[in-house]
Amino acid sequence: MSLAVQNLSTDDQVLLVDLLLNQQYALELITSEINDIENGLKTVDEQRYKKLICLYDRLRFGML
Amino acid sequence: MSLAVQNLSTDDQVLLVDLLLNQQYALELITSEINDIENGLKTVDEQRYKKLICLYDRLRFGML
């Protein structure tokens, strides 16, 4: 988790996620990250990659 | 807080905020929300509006 996230209160984090979901940008954000990883532009550990795929599926197929 | 946010684990929320900050899209997201509010396209309570302004300032002036 980046330093910036740690400097945000839980309240601020929830507010950002709320905006993200309300403005329907979450799926695009995750898709871009997965593409970067699959194209070798970014390296992440296996666990983070799996979390991204799982979150993508939940958002993509309206399981939230 | 919307239902969708409540259906996300804290882990998922932190992951989304991490992506948001890493892809430097948080400021744009908040700016868009503030513009909608100030143009009367969205109505929010005073507390949420103040939080948005405060978060905007912190992000805009690199106080994270």
Side-chain angles (χ1 to χ4, degrees):
Chain A
M1 183 190 343
S2 65
L3 192 62
V5 178
Q6 290 166 18
N7 291 338
L8 283 172
S9 67
T10 309
D11 231 23
D12 287 338
Q13 290 180 32
V14 169
L15 176 59
L16 280 172
V17 173
D18 203 36
L19 293 183
L20 199 55
L21 296 174
N22 287 340
Q23 294 189 21
Q24 278 134 24
Y25 188 71
L27 193 58
E28 209 168 309
L29 197 71
I30 292 173
T31 306
S32 154
E33 186 80 355
I34 291 171
N35 287 342
D36 285 354
I37 295 164
E38 290 177 351
N39 295 323
L41 300 173
K42 274 188 187 166
T43 327
V44 298
D45 60 59
E46 188 69 22
Q47 193 197 8
R48 183 172 170 107
Y49 178 67
K50 280 184 183 159
K51 252 192 229 167
L52 286 165
I53 298 294
C54 174
L55 202 46
Y56 173 86
D57 289 342
R58 287 173 66 200
L59 283 163
R60 178 76 180 70
F61 303 108
M63 298 186 291
L64 275 191
Chain B
M1 187 193 334
S2 64
L3 192 61
V5 177
Q6 290 165 19
N7 291 338
L8 282 173
S9 67
T10 309
D11 232 23
D12 287 338
Q13 290 181 31
V14 168
L15 176 59
L16 280 173
V17 173
D18 203 36
L19 293 182
L20 199 56
L21 295 173
N22 286 339
Q23 293 189 22
Q24 278 132 23
Y25 187 72
L27 193 58
E28 208 168 310
L29 197 70
I30 292 173
T31 306
S32 156
E33 186 80 356
I34 290 172
N35 287 341
D36 285 354
I37 295 165
E38 290 177 351
N39 295 321
L41 300 174
K42 272 187 188 167
T43 323
V44 298
D45 59 59
E46 188 68 21
Q47 193 198 7
R48 184 173 170 105
Y49 179 67
K50 280 183 182 162
K51 254 191 228 170
L52 285 165
I53 298 295
C54 175
L55 202 46
Y56 174 87
D57 288 342
R58 288 174 65 201
L59 283 163
R60 176 78 179 70
F61 302 109
M63 298 186 291
L64 274 191

